[in-house]
Amino acid sequence: RWGRGLGWPGSGGIRGGAAMDLFGDLRRMNKRQLYYQVLNFAMIVSSALMIWKGLIVITGSESPIVVVLSGSMEPAFHRGDLLFLTNFHDDPIRAGEIVVFKVEGRDIPIVHRVIKVHEKGNGNIKFLTKGDNNEVDDRGLYKEGQNWLEKKDVVGRARGFLPYVGMVTIIMNDYPKFKYALLAVMGAYVLLKRES
């Protein structure tokens, strides 16, 4: 796994001495300083959550930012690209648009292009998707007996992207030890950082 933690020799990672320094710093802090640092950490976490909820309201999407996890949309998007989504229900879905959709029975949303749209007189829309890099359409990915997607299946529509920025997310999902080590280091930094 990536790096096998942070403590192998010669890596410059956290070793026994550095870990002891962290605990020594914690012991030297008085209670007021420790409460202040814990409060700072809580404010950072709550600010991030408020920003995320704000993005959900502004974009109309339950997941306003997603990471491309496969190469099925190459060359339009590559694995690790960060997509920005909107999901305004008034906007009609059109062929050629890139949508992120969820299928019943699958936890991870899929990023693919709309290739066919069937619009009925009553305004109901059904559509079919396909990955740009795939040979066949997505009917094999939909739940059994489902041949078309509907608006309710859409999480959002791609409106912009940042290339490869999401690789950090992929690495953290592929290597959970790295994720926990990174979170521990960030938490320790916030708790132990002193005002100058």
Side-chain angles (χ1 to χ4, degrees):
R1 299 223 164 202
W2 197 83
R4 297 182 191 159
L6 293 174
W8 66 92
S11 70
I14 296 175
R15 282 175 262 186
M20 294 306 284
D21 288 345
L22 289 177
F23 292 119
D25 283 348
L26 270 177
R27 271 189 249 117
R28 283 192 290 275
M29 279 188 182
N30 64 36
K31 284 184 181 179
R32 178 176 277 181
Q33 283 176 317
L34 187 59
Y35 292 146
Y36 177 74
Q37 297 302 80
V38 168
L39 186 60
N40 267 347
F41 184 70
M43 285 175 58
I44 290 169
V45 171
S46 61
S47 295
L49 288 173
M50 284 190 297
I51 289 169
W52 182 255
K53 291 293 184 184
L55 283 173
I56 289 172
V57 170
I58 291 167
T59 62
S61 174
E62 66 186 63
S63 293
I65 301 171
V66 296
V67 176
V68 177
L69 298 177
S70 76
S72 66
M73 277 302 292
E74 291 179 3
F77 299 123
H78 295 86
R79 190 169 191 255
D81 287 354
L82 195 69
L83 300 183
F84 301 100
L85 309 179
T86 63
N87 195 21
F88 302 119
H89 292 284
D90 297 340
D91 292 346
I93 292 174
R94 297 289 177 231
E97 226 179 351
I98 296 171
V99 296
V100 178
F101 61 91
K102 268 189 174 175
V103 176
E104 195 176 309
R106 291 180 180 263
D107 294 334
I108 298 171
I110 300 167
V111 180
H112 281 174
R113 190 179 303 276
V114 176
I115 57 170
K116 287 183 185 174
V117 177
H118 285 289
E119 199 164 350
K120 296 183 181 177
N122 63 2
N124 283 350
I125 293 175
K126 293 192 173 194
F127 58 94
L128 181 63
T129 55
K130 176 185 172 296
D132 290 357
N133 201 23
N134 292 350
E135 297 292 324
V136 295
D137 63 42
D138 291 342
R139 288 181 185 159
L141 297 175
Y142 304 159
K143 73 176 183 177
E144 193 174 331
Q146 183 180 7
N147 290 321
W148 301 90
L149 293 175
E150 297 177 24
K151 267 193 158 183
K152 66 178 177 59
D153 300 314
V154 175
V155 174
R157 304 165 200 205
R159 299 298 185 202
F161 77 102
L162 287 173
Y164 303 112
V165 174
M167 284 307 288
V168 174
T169 303
I170 291 174
I171 290 168
M172 287 197 299
N173 282 337
D174 289 350
Y175 306 103
K177 287 181 183 176
F178 173 75
K179 173 171 61 178
Y180 298 129
L182 185 64
L183 289 172
V185 169
M186 287 170 49
Y189 172 76
V190 170
L191 286 173
L192 298 175
K193 188 182 99 181
R194 294 193 178 144
E195 297 295 321
S196 44

